Short mmCIF file of all heavy atoms in Angstrom, two decimals:
data_model
loop_
_atom_site.label_atom_id
_atom_site.label_comp_id
_atom_site.label_asym_id
_atom_site.label_seq_id
_atom_site.Cartn_x
_atom_site.Cartn_y
_atom_site.Cartn_z
N GLN M 59 1.74 -13.54 -14.16
CA GLN M 59 2.30 -12.49 -13.36
C GLN M 59 1.41 -11.27 -13.41
O GLN M 59 1.14 -10.60 -12.37
CB GLN M 59 3.71 -12.14 -13.86
CG GLN M 59 4.78 -13.13 -13.53
CD GLN M 59 6.10 -12.70 -14.06
OE1 GLN M 59 6.45 -11.61 -14.16
NE2 GLN M 59 6.94 -13.73 -14.44
N MET M 60 0.94 -10.89 -14.59
CA MET M 60 0.10 -9.62 -14.71
C MET M 60 -1.24 -9.90 -14.02
O MET M 60 -1.75 -8.85 -13.37
CB MET M 60 -0.13 -9.52 -16.21
CG MET M 60 1.07 -9.06 -17.03
SD MET M 60 1.84 -7.58 -16.36
CE MET M 60 0.77 -6.34 -17.08
N LYS M 61 -1.76 -11.09 -13.96
CA LYS M 61 -2.98 -11.30 -13.34
C LYS M 61 -2.84 -11.05 -11.80
O LYS M 61 -3.57 -10.52 -11.02
CB LYS M 61 -3.52 -12.82 -13.57
CG LYS M 61 -4.83 -13.03 -13.00
CD LYS M 61 -5.27 -14.49 -13.36
CE LYS M 61 -6.60 -14.77 -12.70
NZ LYS M 61 -7.08 -16.18 -13.09
N ILE M 62 -1.70 -11.68 -11.25
CA ILE M 62 -1.37 -11.44 -9.82
C ILE M 62 -1.16 -9.96 -9.50
O ILE M 62 -1.71 -9.49 -8.51
CB ILE M 62 -0.27 -12.27 -9.34
CG1 ILE M 62 -0.65 -13.81 -9.42
CG2 ILE M 62 0.25 -11.95 -7.99
CD1 ILE M 62 0.58 -14.70 -9.25
N ARG M 63 -0.47 -9.32 -10.26
CA ARG M 63 -0.07 -7.95 -10.06
C ARG M 63 -1.40 -7.02 -10.16
O ARG M 63 -1.54 -6.19 -9.39
CB ARG M 63 0.89 -7.39 -11.08
CG ARG M 63 2.30 -7.99 -10.85
CD ARG M 63 3.29 -7.57 -11.88
NE ARG M 63 3.47 -6.17 -11.88
CZ ARG M 63 4.10 -5.51 -12.90
NH1 ARG M 63 4.49 -6.15 -13.95
NH2 ARG M 63 4.21 -4.17 -12.87
N ARG M 64 -2.24 -7.38 -11.05
CA ARG M 64 -3.56 -6.67 -11.21
C ARG M 64 -4.39 -6.84 -9.94
O ARG M 64 -5.02 -5.96 -9.30
CB ARG M 64 -4.30 -7.19 -12.40
CG ARG M 64 -5.37 -6.29 -12.80
CD ARG M 64 -5.99 -6.57 -14.17
NE ARG M 64 -5.04 -6.24 -15.25
CZ ARG M 64 -4.41 -7.25 -16.05
NH1 ARG M 64 -4.67 -8.56 -15.87
NH2 ARG M 64 -3.58 -6.87 -16.96
N ALA M 65 -4.45 -8.11 -9.45
CA ALA M 65 -5.12 -8.45 -8.24
C ALA M 65 -4.71 -7.68 -7.00
O ALA M 65 -5.36 -7.25 -6.23
CB ALA M 65 -5.25 -9.92 -8.05
N TRP M 66 -3.27 -7.71 -6.98
CA TRP M 66 -2.64 -6.98 -5.85
C TRP M 66 -2.92 -5.47 -5.88
O TRP M 66 -3.25 -4.85 -4.83
CB TRP M 66 -1.10 -7.24 -5.92
CG TRP M 66 -0.32 -6.43 -4.90
CD1 TRP M 66 0.52 -5.37 -5.21
CD2 TRP M 66 -0.42 -6.43 -3.48
NE1 TRP M 66 1.03 -4.81 -3.92
CE2 TRP M 66 0.43 -5.51 -2.94
CE3 TRP M 66 -1.20 -7.18 -2.61
CZ2 TRP M 66 0.60 -5.31 -1.57
CZ3 TRP M 66 -1.02 -7.06 -1.22
CH2 TRP M 66 -0.17 -6.07 -0.72
N GLU M 67 -2.95 -4.91 -6.99
CA GLU M 67 -3.26 -3.49 -7.18
C GLU M 67 -4.74 -3.22 -6.64
O GLU M 67 -5.06 -2.27 -6.05
CB GLU M 67 -3.11 -2.98 -8.53
CG GLU M 67 -3.08 -1.48 -8.64
CD GLU M 67 -2.46 -1.03 -9.98
OE1 GLU M 67 -3.29 -0.90 -10.98
OE2 GLU M 67 -1.29 -0.83 -9.97
N GLY M 68 -5.66 -4.22 -7.06
CA GLY M 68 -7.01 -4.06 -6.56
C GLY M 68 -7.11 -4.13 -5.01
O GLY M 68 -7.90 -3.44 -4.41
N GLU M 69 -6.28 -4.96 -4.47
CA GLU M 69 -6.25 -5.14 -2.98
C GLU M 69 -5.80 -3.86 -2.31
O GLU M 69 -6.28 -3.38 -1.33
CB GLU M 69 -5.33 -6.31 -2.67
CG GLU M 69 -5.43 -6.67 -1.21
CD GLU M 69 -6.65 -7.32 -0.72
OE1 GLU M 69 -7.51 -7.62 -1.48
OE2 GLU M 69 -6.77 -7.50 0.55
N ILE M 70 -4.73 -3.27 -2.90
CA ILE M 70 -4.27 -1.89 -2.47
C ILE M 70 -5.40 -0.91 -2.49
O ILE M 70 -5.60 -0.15 -1.54
CB ILE M 70 -3.04 -1.42 -3.23
CG1 ILE M 70 -1.79 -2.34 -2.95
CG2 ILE M 70 -2.67 0.05 -2.94
CD1 ILE M 70 -0.62 -2.15 -3.96
N TYR M 71 -6.13 -0.84 -3.53
CA TYR M 71 -7.17 0.11 -3.68
C TYR M 71 -8.29 -0.17 -2.68
O TYR M 71 -8.76 0.74 -1.96
CB TYR M 71 -7.80 0.08 -5.18
CG TYR M 71 -9.08 0.79 -5.23
CD1 TYR M 71 -9.01 2.23 -5.34
CD2 TYR M 71 -10.30 0.20 -5.21
CE1 TYR M 71 -10.23 2.96 -5.43
CE2 TYR M 71 -11.53 0.96 -5.22
CZ TYR M 71 -11.35 2.27 -5.40
OH TYR M 71 -12.57 3.09 -5.45
N ARG M 72 -8.62 -1.43 -2.55
CA ARG M 72 -9.82 -1.74 -1.63
C ARG M 72 -9.44 -1.42 -0.19
O ARG M 72 -10.22 -1.07 0.61
CB ARG M 72 -10.11 -3.29 -1.70
CG ARG M 72 -11.04 -3.51 -2.97
CD ARG M 72 -11.53 -4.94 -2.89
NE ARG M 72 -10.45 -5.91 -3.05
CZ ARG M 72 -9.88 -6.20 -4.19
NH1 ARG M 72 -10.19 -5.62 -5.35
NH2 ARG M 72 -8.86 -7.11 -4.27
N ALA M 73 -8.15 -1.49 0.16
CA ALA M 73 -7.67 -1.22 1.50
C ALA M 73 -7.47 0.25 1.77
O ALA M 73 -7.29 0.65 2.97
CB ALA M 73 -6.35 -1.98 1.81
N GLY M 74 -7.60 1.08 0.74
CA GLY M 74 -7.45 2.49 0.93
C GLY M 74 -5.99 2.99 0.85
O GLY M 74 -5.69 4.09 1.36
N TYR M 75 -5.06 2.21 0.27
CA TYR M 75 -3.78 2.63 0.22
C TYR M 75 -3.27 3.10 -1.22
O TYR M 75 -2.11 3.26 -1.43
CB TYR M 75 -2.85 1.57 0.71
CG TYR M 75 -3.03 1.25 2.15
CD1 TYR M 75 -3.38 -0.05 2.59
CD2 TYR M 75 -2.89 2.21 3.04
CE1 TYR M 75 -3.61 -0.25 3.91
CE2 TYR M 75 -3.07 2.06 4.46
CZ TYR M 75 -3.42 0.70 4.90
OH TYR M 75 -3.64 0.50 6.15
N ASN M 76 -4.22 3.19 -2.10
CA ASN M 76 -3.92 3.67 -3.38
C ASN M 76 -3.87 5.21 -3.43
O ASN M 76 -4.67 5.83 -2.88
CB ASN M 76 -4.97 3.16 -4.40
CG ASN M 76 -4.49 3.33 -5.89
OD1 ASN M 76 -3.37 3.00 -6.24
ND2 ASN M 76 -5.43 3.73 -6.67
N CYS M 77 -2.98 5.82 -4.16
CA CYS M 77 -2.86 7.27 -4.33
C CYS M 77 -2.97 8.03 -3.00
O CYS M 77 -3.72 8.88 -2.71
CB CYS M 77 -4.04 7.81 -5.18
SG CYS M 77 -4.10 6.92 -6.86
N LEU M 78 -2.01 7.63 -2.09
CA LEU M 78 -1.90 8.21 -0.79
C LEU M 78 -1.89 9.73 -0.73
O LEU M 78 -2.44 10.33 0.14
CB LEU M 78 -0.73 7.65 0.04
CG LEU M 78 -0.83 6.08 0.37
CD1 LEU M 78 0.43 5.72 0.90
CD2 LEU M 78 -2.01 5.80 1.28
N ALA M 79 -1.21 10.27 -1.68
CA ALA M 79 -0.97 11.72 -1.67
C ALA M 79 -2.05 12.53 -2.36
O ALA M 79 -2.16 13.74 -2.27
CB ALA M 79 0.40 12.10 -2.27
N TRP M 80 -3.05 11.88 -3.02
CA TRP M 80 -4.11 12.56 -3.63
C TRP M 80 -5.04 13.17 -2.55
O TRP M 80 -5.19 12.63 -1.50
CB TRP M 80 -4.84 11.62 -4.58
CG TRP M 80 -4.25 11.19 -5.80
CD1 TRP M 80 -2.90 11.21 -6.16
CD2 TRP M 80 -4.91 10.61 -6.95
NE1 TRP M 80 -2.78 10.76 -7.38
CE2 TRP M 80 -3.91 10.40 -7.91
CE3 TRP M 80 -6.21 10.28 -7.24
CZ2 TRP M 80 -4.26 9.88 -9.18
CZ3 TRP M 80 -6.51 9.80 -8.44
CH2 TRP M 80 -5.51 9.54 -9.43
N PRO M 81 -5.76 14.25 -2.87
CA PRO M 81 -6.71 14.73 -2.01
C PRO M 81 -7.83 13.68 -1.73
O PRO M 81 -8.19 12.94 -2.51
CB PRO M 81 -7.22 15.96 -2.77
CG PRO M 81 -6.30 16.29 -3.80
CD PRO M 81 -5.62 14.99 -4.20
N THR M 82 -8.47 13.76 -0.52
CA THR M 82 -9.40 12.83 -0.20
C THR M 82 -10.67 12.95 -1.06
O THR M 82 -11.29 11.88 -1.29
CB THR M 82 -9.85 13.05 1.30
OG1 THR M 82 -10.22 14.37 1.50
CG2 THR M 82 -8.78 12.71 2.24
N GLU M 83 -10.94 14.09 -1.56
CA GLU M 83 -12.11 14.20 -2.39
C GLU M 83 -11.97 13.47 -3.83
O GLU M 83 -12.87 13.27 -4.44
CB GLU M 83 -12.57 15.64 -2.68
CG GLU M 83 -11.53 16.52 -3.30
CD GLU M 83 -10.58 17.27 -2.35
OE1 GLU M 83 -10.47 16.87 -1.24
OE2 GLU M 83 -10.11 18.33 -2.81
N PHE M 84 -10.69 13.11 -4.06
CA PHE M 84 -10.35 12.35 -5.29
C PHE M 84 -10.04 10.87 -5.02
O PHE M 84 -9.43 10.24 -5.82
CB PHE M 84 -9.35 13.03 -6.17
CG PHE M 84 -9.77 14.42 -6.62
CD1 PHE M 84 -9.07 15.53 -6.19
CD2 PHE M 84 -10.80 14.56 -7.48
CE1 PHE M 84 -9.50 16.75 -6.55
CE2 PHE M 84 -11.27 15.81 -7.88
CZ PHE M 84 -10.55 16.90 -7.46
N GLY M 85 -10.31 10.47 -3.83
CA GLY M 85 -10.08 9.01 -3.45
C GLY M 85 -8.76 8.77 -2.72
O GLY M 85 -8.49 7.69 -2.43
N GLY M 86 -7.95 9.81 -2.50
CA GLY M 86 -6.67 9.61 -1.86
C GLY M 86 -6.83 9.77 -0.31
O GLY M 86 -7.92 9.74 0.18
N ARG M 87 -5.66 9.98 0.34
CA ARG M 87 -5.69 10.16 1.81
C ARG M 87 -5.10 11.40 2.21
O ARG M 87 -4.81 11.64 3.39
CB ARG M 87 -4.99 8.85 2.46
CG ARG M 87 -5.83 7.61 2.27
CD ARG M 87 -5.47 6.47 2.94
NE ARG M 87 -5.17 6.63 4.40
CZ ARG M 87 -4.67 5.68 5.10
NH1 ARG M 87 -4.41 4.37 4.64
NH2 ARG M 87 -4.53 5.85 6.37
N ASN M 88 -4.69 12.26 1.21
CA ASN M 88 -4.24 13.60 1.58
C ASN M 88 -2.86 13.47 2.35
O ASN M 88 -2.58 14.33 3.18
CB ASN M 88 -5.18 14.48 2.28
CG ASN M 88 -4.92 15.88 1.99
OD1 ASN M 88 -4.59 16.29 0.99
ND2 ASN M 88 -5.15 16.69 3.08
N LEU M 89 -2.16 12.46 2.07
CA LEU M 89 -0.77 12.23 2.75
C LEU M 89 0.31 12.79 1.88
O LEU M 89 0.12 13.57 0.99
CB LEU M 89 -0.64 10.73 3.13
CG LEU M 89 -1.67 10.22 4.13
CD1 LEU M 89 -1.50 8.70 4.29
CD2 LEU M 89 -1.63 10.91 5.44
N GLY M 90 1.53 12.35 2.09
CA GLY M 90 2.61 13.02 1.30
C GLY M 90 3.64 11.94 0.87
O GLY M 90 3.52 10.72 1.08
N PRO M 91 4.76 12.44 0.43
CA PRO M 91 5.79 11.54 -0.13
C PRO M 91 6.48 10.68 0.97
O PRO M 91 6.89 9.60 0.78
CB PRO M 91 6.87 12.50 -0.70
CG PRO M 91 6.60 13.92 -0.16
CD PRO M 91 5.12 13.93 0.17
#
Side-chain angles (χ1 to χ4, degrees):
Q59 289 178 29
M60 295 301 281
K61 185 176 180 181
I62 292 170
R63 290 175 63 195
R64 194 171 292 114
W66 173 242
E67 195 162 89
E69 187 71 8
I70 291 170
Y71 171 78
R72 282 186 296 282
Y75 294 121
N76 192 45
C77 303
L78 293 172
W80 285 20
T82 54
E83 61 266 26
F84 297 113
R87 291 188 51 186
N88 207 37
L89 298 174

